[in-house]
Every structure is written in C-alpha cells, then in structure tokens.
Amino acid sequence: MPELPEVETIVQQLRKRVVGKTIKRAAVKDRKVADTKLETLVSARILSASRKGKIIIIELDKGRFLLTELRMTGHFHHYPKGTVADKAEEKYVAVTFFLNDGSLLTFNEVRRFGRMRLLGKEQLQQALDKLGRDVLAKEFTLNAFRQLLEKRKKTTVKIALMDQHLLAGVGNIYAQEALYRAKILPQRKNATLSAAEMQNLYRELLAVLHLAVKHRGTTVENYVHIEGSGGFQNYLQVYQREKCSQGHPLKKEYVGGRGTYYCGKCQR
DNA sequence: AATCGTTCCTGATAGC
DNA sequence: TGCTATCAGGAACGAT
C-alpha cells in the first residue's frame, strides 16, 4: 500500500522521467478512476512533480494540475519510445499519456480505488487544504504533533496517526512500525500518552519514514514504483511478521478496522 | 466537532 | 478440479 515513502519514491522517478516533457494527448479508459476531462489535454507541458502526504501533484502549463491518489493498488508505468502502443490496452490501465518523446506514461488501478483528476489552481488548493501537515515537512514539528494528539483525546494513537486530516502521509504499515519503535501500544488513547512518549513517537515516526524513503518504499502484495520494487519490506519489524526484533511472538488485532501487529512485551 | 461503522472494488487464498 | 466465501484496506460518507 503506497504511503509517504512509496509516494515520495514515485514522485522522484516522475521528476526524472516525465517532467519537462509534453503530453501530446491522454486516453481515459476507466472513467471511475479518472476524470474524462483529462482527455482535453493537448500539448500540455509537464512543469513539476511533487506530493503532499500520499497525494501526487503533477503541475502542467496553463495553471492546470493532475492530482493522483494511489490508494491501495494504483501505480504508474513508463514505457520508453518504441514500446508497442498496445500497452495502453492492457488490463487495469486507467489512463495513458502519450508524451512528445514517444514514451508512454500509464496510470494503472486493479482495485479501482485510486483517483486521478485534472484541477485548476483553486481546486487544487482546496483539495490540499483538507490534509493535515505532511509528516516530512519542516512545519511538522514536535509541538505541532503534540497539539494534534491533544485535539483527538478519545481516539487511539494508531487511528490518529493514520488520519490524513490530522497529519498527512502515514498509513497502516508505518503507523505500526513507528509505534513498535516507540514502544507504544497501538490501542493506547491519545490522552494517556506522556510527553516523553509523544516525543519518542515523533522521533521514531520521522526516522522510520526517512529510512523507508531511502529504501524506496515497502513492497508487500501490490506496491511497485516506476522502476521496480521497494526494499523496506526487509526492514519491517512488526507488520505481517511473527516475531519482534527481541524474539517475542507478535499479536494481531483489529484497530480501527485494520489488521494491526504489535508486541505485548515491548510495547506499553 | 469528534468518533464510529459502512461502503467501494477485485485478486488471492482457504475450505469444501 | 472447480466453486464459493472470506480477506485485504484508504478515504468518503452518514449517523450519532
């Protein structure tokens, strides 16, 4: 599942591969996943690629923006010039961009939860304003983090970490990894966290995200970036594992309706 | 305003 | 072998 590190990896690759090029035209195949407005793009220059949380923003000329949410199984492919054009007809291709250098960029979605929309500047701003601060943004300070947790007193710390309106970028995998590293149980209510625990959690959350970016994300089940698979699955300490790093057997429980792994001995 | 449960969607897997 | 039921989960939405 793409979370911040996976999305960051993809954005870096989009910068390398498609920024500076021009979209000659776009074909929308799955109208549930992608807005048919995309087909109005003709000779649109790609100015930049960035992200906020898990949302990918591709800036085009004339004040237009492609906003992409990968959700569970969304991913991009980039086929160099000379690739047979029927890549666009393959199963699960939701959108194909035909670029001026003859290469193809496709957005693929198996489970059809992902979304791609073409927005103007104001609409983009509205969409981004719904999100909390990006976890790796400078403004996401320890104090900011504390204030967020204090706003959500009754909910569990894991649910708060995953709430994109509160802070942007963390999903099911990294929430669990950060909580294990900070030795905090995912079921703990926010109001019960001490100042030291919050500081620990803040530090471990940033550390695990930075480390995962370095390894180009975690590949379990579906996630692939544009150039292959991530490597962080080899460094996971709790997610879908049987024993923690201390050799204790891990428990699995549903927290917020999601499978959650934790160590009853290391985490308090 | 915060919180909780439900829904979307399809491939993989378990069970018979 | 082949069928059916269950599970995975990010985010929007409605209800409380």
Side-chain angles (χ1 to χ4, degrees):
Chain A
M1 288 64 62
E3 302 178 31
L4 188 151
E6 291 75 30
V7 174
E8 176 62 28
T9 301
I10 290 166
V11 166
Q12 288 173 11
Q13 293 171 352
L14 287 172
R15 280 187 195 129
K16 224 167 34 181
R17 287 168 171 262
V18 305
V19 169
K21 293 177 183 171
T22 299
I23 297 171
K24 286 201 307 192
R25 69 184 180 90
V28 173
K29 217 176 124 198
D30 189 333
R31 288 157 189 272
K32 183 179 174 69
V33 171
D35 189 347
T36 51
K37 254 198 280 178
L38 289 175
E39 295 191 330
T40 64
L41 290 173
V42 179
S43 292
R45 199 169 145 79
I46 302 171
L47 302 181
S48 71
S50 60
R51 62 158 193 89
K52 181 174 182 185
K54 308 178 200 171
I55 291 184
I56 298 173
I57 304 140
I58 297 175
E59 181 191 5
L60 305 175
D61 60 11
K62 297 176 185 164
R64 297 174 292 185
F65 298 86
L66 281 172
L67 189 148
T68 306
E69 291 178 75
L70 302 171
R71 300 275 179 101
M72 313 284 300
T73 54
H75 60 271
F76 285 99
H77 273 299
H78 185 227
Y79 301 100
K81 183 183 178 172
T83 312
V84 270
D86 64 5
K87 290 290 179 202
E89 299 307 318
E90 281 187 359
K91 219 175 166 186
Y92 312 129
V93 170
V95 190
T96 306
F97 297 98
F98 298 85
L99 305 182
N100 64 323
D101 66 347
S103 68
L104 300 183
L105 179 70
T106 62
F107 178 49
N108 303 19
E109 233 310 14
V110 175
R111 226 169 280 179
R112 307 179 75 200
F113 283 177
R115 294 288 179 267
M116 187 179 270
R117 292 183 287 158
L118 180 64
L119 303 178
K121 192 160 190 168
E122 274 182 31
Q123 294 170 297
L124 171 79
Q125 203 54 52
Q126 272 177 17
L128 298 184
D129 285 347
K130 286 185 192 165
L131 295 178
R133 282 182 183 157
D134 185 274
V135 179
L136 294 189
K138 263 190 238 126
E139 301 76 34
F140 188 74
T141 59
L142 172 59
N143 265 337
F145 181 55
R146 263 197 212 117
Q147 283 171 20
L148 296 177
L149 291 178
E150 279 159 15
K151 265 193 353 198
R152 294 276 196 284
K153 289 190 198 317
K154 288 189 177 172
T155 195
T156 72
V157 59
K158 189 203 171 206
I159 290 173
L161 288 178
M162 291 173 60
D163 186 340
Q164 304 303 301
H165 304 285
L166 215 55
L167 60 159
V170 183
N172 199 33
I173 295 176
Y174 295 106
Q176 291 170 57
E177 293 297 315
L179 286 164
Y180 173 74
R181 294 170 63 120
K183 305 188 194 304
I184 297 169
L185 289 170
Q187 305 85 337
R188 287 273 300 278
K189 304 280 182 193
N190 294 326
T192 71
L193 295 177
S194 70
E197 284 176 322
M198 285 190 211
Q199 187 171 0
N200 241 347
L201 181 55
Y202 174 80
R203 194 177 50 227
E204 295 301 334
L205 180 60
L206 266 62
V208 74
L209 291 174
H210 279 299
L211 195 60
V213 169
K214 208 167 128 189
H215 289 281
R216 317 219 294 177
T218 299
T219 294
V220 282
E221 303 180 27
N222 304 300
Y223 160 73
V224 282
H225 54 70
I226 303 178
E227 293 163 5
S229 297
F232 196 70
Q233 61 278 11
N234 301 319
Y235 299 88
L236 294 175
Q237 302 198 57
V238 283
Y239 184 73
Q240 289 190 352
R241 299 193 63 107
E242 290 184 359
K243 287 184 176 174
C244 82
S245 59
Q246 304 302 307
H248 305 134
L250 293 171
K251 293 179 182 169
K252 187 188 179 190
E253 223 172 79
Y254 285 87
V255 181
R258 300 285 172 262
T260 305
Y261 296 80
Y262 65 95
C263 177
K265 289 193 173 151
C266 296
Q267 293 168 265
R268 298 280 147 175

